[in-house]
Amino acid sequence: MADQKLLPGDVHWYDLPDEAADAPDDAANLPGGAADVPEERPRRRLPGRWLRRAATNSTAILLLLAAWEALPRLGVLDPVFVPPLSEDLVAWYDLLVTGRLPEHLGASVARSLAGFGLAIVLAIPLGLLIGWYRPVADFLTPLLELFRNTSAVALLPVFTLILGIGETTKVTFALYACAWPILLNTISGVKTVEPLLIKSARSMGLGPAGLFQKVILPAAVPTIFTGVRLAGAHSILVLLFAEMVGAKAGLGYLILDTQSSFRIPDMYAGIITISALGVLFNLLLVGVERRFSTWRTT
């Protein structure tokens, strides 16, 4: 059978790209051939996908809250000691309206931020120094190993005996507890920088100061922020113990006072506030970490 003579505008499947070859036959018969087939636009992410993901991530929390409400009402848990969630939220609202909750919350946040901020200012430079200079690391490592394995809560009586029961003790206690995650992660971040990066920077003529500024510090930022996030959680949790000793305000004092006076819903209101504060603080630190780590590839 003789080959058919191709006319201008005739297109065969083997002359087309893979995507056009898979297109329906009627698309190739459009005026001008397959070249007139409109390109497929990139699909936009639908809001429903984001909503489904948010619903999946919050399922466990919703189940916990539902159990908190249902189990005391069904008699599975004693409602005297574990009131339903709705009663705890009513107590939380009453504390908010009367002004007691903002007073205690403000005192705790001020102490936590003071200790947390001082820990960042002191621990990050010290960690960079220990991680970068071997003689400093050899001198301080035995002392660090001694204190890192000593619980901060166990040292609270020592802080109280030395500094008294005032604000200095609470801020210093938060500082001590927050410093260790930041310090240890900073040291680890500096020591685990890829050696090839350091060799490449030195081969390009970077001196010690430029090498530290342009290679070591940026590479250690993610690990440092991991320590900062851990310290953020520590700043709230350990402060509760300090506020239970000689304090007149603070969430820790609120929880201890309501427990001793058997105002159980108010006690749970304080616990809910601490949990919400910890979550918000962590989200804030995650946002700051993303802001300072935009150079990383995802």
Side-chain angles (χ1 to χ4, degrees), residues 12-239:
H12 288 289
W13 63 270
Y14 45 76
D15 295 321
L16 299 176
D18 293 340
E19 295 81 0
D22 294 335
D25 294 339
D26 55 350
N29 295 327
L30 292 174
D36 290 341
V37 178
E39 296 181 357
E40 183 179 358
R41 296 181 180 178
R43 296 180 179 178
R44 297 180 180 178
R45 294 184 178 180
L46 299 178
R49 183 178 180 183
W50 181 86
L51 292 175
R52 286 194 298 270
R53 182 177 180 181
T56 302
N57 294 339
S58 60
T59 298
I61 296 178
L62 295 176
L63 290 176
L64 173 63
L65 298 180
W68 192 348
E69 178 68 25
L71 294 181
R73 296 190 181 279
L74 296 175
V76 178
L77 298 176
D78 192 341
V80 175
F81 301 107
V82 186
L85 176 62
S86 57
E87 296 182 9
D88 299 330
L89 294 178
V90 170
W92 183 90
Y93 180 75
D94 291 339
L95 290 173
L96 179 65
V97 172
T98 57
R100 295 185 57 199
L101 184 62
E103 176 187 357
H104 295 298
L105 179 61
S108 294
V109 169
R111 294 163 182 160
S112 296
L113 290 180
F116 179 67
L118 289 173
I120 292 178
V121 172
L122 298 176
I124 291 182
L126 181 59
L128 295 174
L129 188 65
I130 294 174
W132 186 239
Y133 292 103
R134 183 65 180 271
V136 178
D138 293 338
F139 178 73
L140 293 178
T141 296
L143 188 63
L144 296 180
E145 291 295 329
L146 175 64
F147 281 98
R148 67 176 290 191
N149 293 299
T150 304
S151 172
V153 178
L155 294 177
L156 178 58
V158 179
F159 282 96
T160 304
L161 289 174
I162 296 175
L163 302 175
I165 58 175
E167 293 297 312
T168 304
T169 300
K170 299 172 180 57
V171 174
T172 306
F173 184 62
L175 163 64
Y176 178 83
C178 293
W180 290 107
I182 300 175
L183 178 64
L184 297 177
N185 279 273
T186 302
I187 296 173
S188 175
V190 173
K191 288 186 175 181
T192 56
V193 175
E194 179 63 41
L196 184 59
L197 294 177
I198 300 177
K199 293 180 181 179
S200 301
R202 285 175 174 169
S203 66
M204 297 175 64
L206 281 180
L211 177 64
F212 183 82
Q213 179 183 0
K214 297 182 181 297
V215 178
I216 302 298
L217 188 58
V221 163
T223 308
I224 294 174
F225 265 103
T226 300
V228 171
R229 289 177 58 187
L230 292 174
H234 281 62
S235 67
I236 299 173
L237 297 178
V238 300
L239 184 63

Side-chain angles (χ1 to χ4, degrees), residues 68 251 254-255 264-277:
W68 192 348
L251 294 175
L254 173 65
I255 293 173
I264 305 301
D266 291 347
M267 181 190 74
Y268 282 103
I271 296 174
I272 292 173
T273 305
I274 292 172
S275 300
L277 180 62

